[in-house]
Amino acid sequence: MTLAFSASLAARGFDVTLDVARGETVAILGPNGAGKSTALEIIAGLLRPDSGHAEWDGTALFRLDGGPRGAWLPPHRRGVSLLAQDALLFPHLSALDNVAFGPRSAGVGTDAARATARTWLAEVEASDLAAVRPGRLSGGQAQRVAIARALAADPNLLLLDEPLAALDAAVAPTIRRMLRRVLEGRTAIVVTHEVLDALTLADRVVVMNRGVVVETGQTREVLERPRHPFTAELAGLNLVLGTRTAGGMAADWGELVAPAASIVRGAAVAAAIRPSAIEVSLEPLPGRDNSVPVTVIDLEPRGDSIRVRADSLSADVSPGRAAALDLAPGDRVFFGFDGEDVSLYGSERPSTLR
Amino acid sequence: MVAVAAVGALFVLLPLAAMATRVDWANFLALVTSESSVAALLLSLRTSVAATALCVVLGVPMALVLARTTFWGQRLVRTLVLLPLVLPPVIGGIALLAAFGRQGLLGHTLELLGIRIAFSTTAVVLAQTFVALPFLVLSLEGALRVAGTRYEAVAATLGARPTTVLRRITLPLVLPALLSGAVLSFARALGEFGATLTFAGSLQGVTRTLPLEIYLQRETDPNAAVALSLVLLVVSVAVVALTLRTVPGPAGAP
Amino acid sequence: MGRRLHTVVAVAVAAALVLGGSACTAPAVTGTSTNTSPPLSGSITVFAAASLTGTFTELAKRFEAKHPGTTVNLSFAGSSELVTQLTAGAPADVFASADARNMARLTAAGLVDGEPVDFATNTLEIVVPPANPASIATLADLARPGVKTVICQAKVPCGSATVAVEKAAGVTITPVSEELSVTDVLGKVTSGEADAGLVYVTDVKGAGARVKGIPFSESGTAVNTYPIAALTASARPAVSAAFVRFVVGAIGRSVLAAAGFGAP
């Protein structure tokens, strides 16, 4: 492990242990207030934890364990660049000089630093913006320049705090692709609440909630086979926990028919079901493998579909279908889906994936 | 509300306009170019520039410490630093005497070092700095707080050491506030009367600044006093106008 | 807002009525009393030079005691300052100046009732801190290099007196400061900033033990004469005239002499 991090900060209920390997991009997923940004601030040296330690390749970034070998490396000596949600370009410097700031701070002469900066502006396709002041840049342009600035500092570790959150939906995909390109082979931590960011950018995800890590593993594995209700919520999946039976699994609200899987009976299992695979009906659905009676709790419009949240599961229906059903909270309806719509897996994450 | 605002504006402008009507224009040039007037004006400009420089040298670190650090008793320190703002200048003069006067706290030490402050131009600069310093500290500290620490944090993570952050990020960001604070300090120094009179004395070309000269002229030659007042007014207006022109609005505005 | 404005106006009107009422009754009282013997009454305002602060406060108290029913309000400032105020219309009944020049200005403005009367003189004296650190003994000592001497600027009354004694003694003082008032000169000496200063005898007396006075022979060449006069604008000419007589009279003489003033 290149970065070995462990810290706690009581004031924010923060207690996290985290490892990042060289060349790996790790996404920290979680809702607002989960402590994602706190993690980055502590790693960058902008925030001091109560206790803990962090090492980069055997060099202590900080060691606050109360022992005699305590250490605290100031931010500028950590080799850690931070890219925030807002580009935070220095308003008094041109785009070029913003990018040249890192090299200049490292002691490189003005001309050489600007040459480096030009290379990085080209890398993020922003060469034409070199002379422009940040006040005249659009959000997307500013973020490109900010990415170039972070990379030009030649950091060991790049921290990205919701790098796409402040951007227009039209611009975000372009910047996301660019980030995937520049993060290739780099060691980075991306904080996000977007599953798409994690899937696009990260080799591994760490899911956080309320200051602690709830789940961690390979991005696809974690997001397609969540073990924690919270991860399932983020991934937009129904998660059912129970035990393996002959025909599927036993959940606390009944038997679920699921495809055969090589999991021994009685084992703790989890099932993931996409909400869009679930059919909603006022009558039982005998034609489907599973027909679950549920009570509607909430209806939530989501673009071109409506999510019907019920006590045990959620389903996505088209607006037309929702209107035909005339659903309201409190209604008793049936959710129908087939066994092949259910992804069944052990609810204990294999330790090798940690 | 507009009417009250108009009354307020009139209240400020009317006396100034009325003063202009009292100017003896026929002899204006002769009155303001007399040897003593020119000496007072030049002395005022010289000492005010020096006082402003001293305010910047002392005030910038003070504002930085107040805005960027937290320490026990900080609120008290801030209040004390701003005290000269509300203190009658005469009291400032008496306080300065108590500290730097011959019989003052540091007077003996300074005397041993061969430094004589009383009745010197240095005393004028000290008096002016004393009353003007809070203007610089106040405006700069406010700007530092508004600017926040986010840019500084980014700069640090880009590898900039604290001195580099200060030089290349913090100070440029608050430059407009620093300039306007300096101009306010300059204007305050230019108008200083009470502390100078008490602490520095009054001698042409050495300690008699323009406000002291105006007060003296009033004794025998009210026309000269009015003419000089107009000169001071014009200089003040010019300084303020210059600031408004050269100093842009808050950071980010064009 | 409108209601508050009404209130303000009402209060102002009420105040005007009250003040107007009292102003109306007062002359009636004076009117009846002038027929018979002296009982003077009513209040007068006396503008007096700053150097008279101590003596005139004392004299006003004694005058009020002698004439129950009278009140003497005092306003002290530099003589020229007071003349400026009076010519600008400040209401006063009596003016006591520290020099003839300022009284002449007021007379020229037509504000003086009758002829001003000289009631006191004042002369300069060297003032030094009690320890006399520069060992000053004569006026010439003030011109010694290294001696920090503070004097009045030539444009203010004490300054013109200073110029006169310098000329008479053939001494040219190079002061470290030319102050705008005699009080500022005294202040620089009492605070110990200056080694010596030139102030009036009465200032030295008034400062007590905080300073030491050193008389010098040339001081007689610049005798400052204090004139007093009732003003034409006085609403109580009888009281004003009585106060002027009182100051010039025996009691006035003794109080002024005690403070160091000379007889005219």
Side-chain angles (χ1 to χ4, degrees):
Chain A
M1 288 301 164
T2 305
L3 175 75
F5 170 86
S6 175
S8 65
L9 181 56
R12 299 196 188 179
F14 180 89
D15 190 359
V16 166
T17 298
L18 190 71
D19 296 324
V20 182
R22 181 179 292 277
E24 183 187 38
T25 298
V26 172
I28 302 181
L29 268 173
N32 290 333
K36 310 184 299 272
S37 297
T38 303
L40 295 196
E41 285 176 47
I42 294 175
I43 294 170
L46 302 175
L47 187 66
R48 207 183 181 96
D50 298 331
S51 64
H53 53 83
E55 281 187 6
W56 174 267
D57 262 353
T59 309
L61 298 183
F62 64 89
R63 197 183 295 114
L64 302 168
D65 297 321
R69 292 176 58 238
W72 179 262
L73 218 54
H76 67 274
R77 291 178 53 201
R78 291 193 178 194
V80 173
S81 277
L82 180 64
L83 180 69
Q85 181 173 338
D86 302 323
L88 289 178
L89 296 177
F90 307 131
H92 57 291
L93 299 178
S94 67
L96 184 69
D97 283 339
N98 261 279
V99 180
F101 186 87
R104 291 271 285 125
S105 296
V108 176
T110 311
D111 291 341
R114 285 191 174 153
T116 307
R118 282 206 177 82
T119 314
W120 282 108
L121 279 178
E123 183 72 25
V124 298
E125 293 154 28
S127 295
D128 51 328
L129 304 175
V132 183
R133 287 285 175 119
R136 298 184 172 276
L137 294 176
S138 71
Q141 290 173 329
Q143 201 62 322
R144 280 172 201 261
V145 176
I147 291 166
R149 180 177 66 175
L151 294 171
D154 194 21
N156 295 327
L157 174 64
L158 187 59
L159 305 177
L160 303 101
D161 192 354
E162 304 269 13
L164 305 167
L167 298 180
D168 291 344
V171 184
T174 319
I175 305 289
R176 188 179 289 114
R177 272 198 299 279
M178 171 174 300
L179 277 176
R180 179 161 66 177
R181 186 158 52 79
V182 299
L183 290 180
E184 188 69 44
R186 284 184 181 276
T187 317
I189 300 176
V190 184
V191 153
T192 181
H193 61 271
E194 285 280 348
V195 171
L196 183 57
D197 290 348
L199 286 170
T200 314
L201 305 174
D203 305 306
R204 217 150 52 80
V205 294
V206 171
V207 182
M208 281 187 67
N209 191 34
R210 295 175 180 236
V212 295
V213 174
V214 294
E215 203 167 342
T216 175
Q218 301 297 327
T219 310
R220 223 155 255 289
E221 163 69 18
V222 168
L223 292 176
E224 287 175 4
R225 298 185 149 196
R227 265 77 173 179
H228 197 281
F230 187 74
T231 314
E233 174 73 28
L234 279 174
L237 294 172
N238 284 298
L239 175 66
V240 183
L241 296 171
T243 46
R244 177 73 169 140
T245 59
M249 68 179 287
D252 51 6
W253 38 265
E255 181 79 11
L256 194 66
V257 175
S262 54
I263 303 172
V264 295
R265 270 184 235 173
V269 288
I273 309 141
R274 279 180 295 113
S276 58
I278 296 178
E279 184 187 350
V280 180
S281 170
L282 298 173
E283 305 296 330
L285 292 156
R288 312 300 291 264
D289 292 342
N290 297 291
S291 176
V292 184
V294 296
T295 305
V296 175
I297 292 171
D298 185 27
L299 297 164
E300 180 193 328
R302 298 192 143 210
D304 57 355
S305 69
I306 292 179
R307 175 152 300 179
V308 182
R309 287 187 190 278
D311 40 8
S312 51
L313 297 167
S314 294
D316 283 353
V317 297
S318 69
R321 179 73 182 142
L325 290 167
D326 192 22
L327 291 176
D331 287 357
R332 301 281 300 171
V333 296
F334 290 87
F335 278 9
F337 52 96
D338 293 327
E340 62 193 34
D341 297 323
V342 179
S343 165
L344 194 71
Y345 47 91
S347 61
E348 296 296 324
R349 184 166 304 287
S351 58
T352 51
L353 291 177
R354 268 198 67 88
Chain B
M1 197 159 87
V2 175
V4 178
V7 169
L10 208 60
F11 176 69
V12 174
L13 292 179
L14 190 66
L16 297 179
M19 187 180 79
T21 66
R22 288 291 178 87
V23 174
D24 177 7
W25 291 108
N27 299 312
F28 180 79
L29 214 60
L31 289 172
V32 300
T33 54
S34 75
E35 191 203 342
S36 64
S37 302
V38 171
L41 179 62
L42 290 180
L43 178 70
S44 265
L45 292 176
R46 235 171 51 224
T47 53
S48 297
V49 166
T52 307
L54 202 55
C55 282
V56 170
V57 168
L58 299 174
V60 170
M62 283 166 76
L64 281 168
V65 168
L66 284 174
R68 288 287 183 268
T69 64
T70 47
F71 55 88
W72 190 85
Q74 189 164 24
R75 288 178 64 137
L76 183 71
V77 169
R78 180 180 297 115
T79 310
L80 292 178
V81 164
L82 300 184
L83 210 53
L85 211 56
V86 292
L87 214 60
V90 182
I91 298 180
I94 292 172
L96 285 168
L97 267 183
F100 302 107
R102 247 168 141 191
Q103 314 291 319
L105 217 54
L106 303 177
H108 195 64
T109 317
L110 293 172
E111 193 105 342
L112 287 179
L113 295 170
I115 302 171
R116 298 268 172 85
I117 290 178
F119 305 118
S120 68
T121 306
T122 311
V124 178
V125 175
L126 286 186
Q128 290 173 339
T129 306
F130 183 79
V131 296
L133 189 56
F135 284 87
L136 191 114
V137 175
L138 201 64
S139 70
L140 194 58
E141 193 205 343
L144 283 167
R145 287 185 181 280
V146 169
T149 56
R150 301 202 307 162
Y151 290 115
E152 293 165 10
V154 169
T157 65
L158 291 171
R161 58 186 69 248
T163 49
T164 309
V165 174
L166 180 69
R167 186 170 50 80
R168 294 206 54 208
I169 303 299
T170 312
L171 290 182
L173 280 178
V174 296
L175 191 63
L178 180 61
L179 286 181
S180 65
V183 167
L184 276 176
S185 298
F186 179 81
R188 181 69 188 85
L190 205 58
E192 214 308 300
F193 176 77
T196 308
L197 187 63
T198 318
F199 179 53
S202 167
L203 192 65
Q204 183 178 325
V206 180
T207 53
R208 189 177 299 143
T209 56
L210 200 51
L212 266 69
E213 175 70 18
I214 290 171
Y215 193 81
L216 178 65
Q217 291 287 3
R218 219 177 56 114
E219 192 76 29
T220 49
D221 191 353
N223 284 339
V226 170
L228 283 178
S229 299
L230 194 71
V231 170
L232 193 56
L233 181 73
V234 168
V235 171
S236 307
V237 169
V239 163
V240 172
L242 200 72
T243 332
L244 293 180
R245 272 181 66 100
T246 55
V247 178
Chain C
M1 183 76 184
R3 188 134 144 220
R4 184 170 298 175
L5 203 63
H6 279 303
T7 317
V8 171
V9 171
V11 168
V13 169
L17 285 174
V18 170
L19 292 174
S22 62
C24 286
T25 49
V29 174
T30 330
T32 49
S33 58
T34 39
N35 279 348
T36 49
S37 53
L40 294 165
S41 75
S43 83
I44 57 167
T45 298
V46 175
F47 274 27
S51 50
L52 297 169
T53 307
T55 49
F56 267 49
T57 306
E58 170 76 18
L59 286 172
K61 212 180 294 169
R62 295 209 189 180
F63 182 78
E64 286 166 355
K66 189 180 169 193
H67 302 284
T70 61
T71 314
V72 179
N73 300 314
L74 295 163
S75 178
F76 298 107
S79 298
S80 69
E81 170 76 42
L82 291 172
V83 171
T84 306
Q85 288 178 17
L86 289 170
T87 48
D93 301 275
V94 174
F95 174 54
S97 171
D99 63 351
R101 192 169 57 94
N102 278 301
M103 184 58 90
R105 273 174 67 199
L106 202 62
T107 311
L111 297 174
V112 172
D113 187 13
E115 279 294 308
V117 188
D118 294 341
F119 67 95
T121 59
N122 212 349
T123 48
L124 292 178
E125 195 169 79
I126 297 169
V127 64
V128 295
N132 195 0
S135 310
I136 304 293
T138 66
L139 190 66
D141 287 342
L142 300 189
R144 256 187 5 230
V147 174
K148 285 178 185 289
T149 305
V150 181
I151 59 175
C152 283
Q153 216 280 337
K155 286 176 180 165
V156 297
C158 56
S160 49
T162 304
V163 172
V165 296
E166 277 184 273
K167 205 171 277 175
V171 170
T172 307
I173 298 171
T174 310
V176 291
S177 182
E178 295 172 347
E179 300 294 335
L180 307 188
S181 81
V182 71
T183 326
D184 289 326
V185 175
L186 190 65
K188 295 288 189 292
V189 176
T190 53
S191 69
E193 291 306 307
D195 295 324
L198 273 178
V199 297
Y200 289 114
V201 174
T202 53
D203 296 315
V204 177
K205 256 203 153 83
R210 289 178 298 146
V211 295
K212 193 174 143 192
I214 300 169
F216 59 99
S217 50
E218 298 87 349
S219 67
T221 55
V223 177
N224 215 32
T225 309
Y226 284 59
I228 187 169
L231 303 178
T232 49
S234 177
R236 315 264 185 292
V239 184
S240 302
F243 185 76
V244 170
R245 280 197 305 276
F246 186 77
V247 170
V248 179
I251 298 176
R253 188 79 289 280
S254 74
V255 169
L256 287 160
F261 286 102

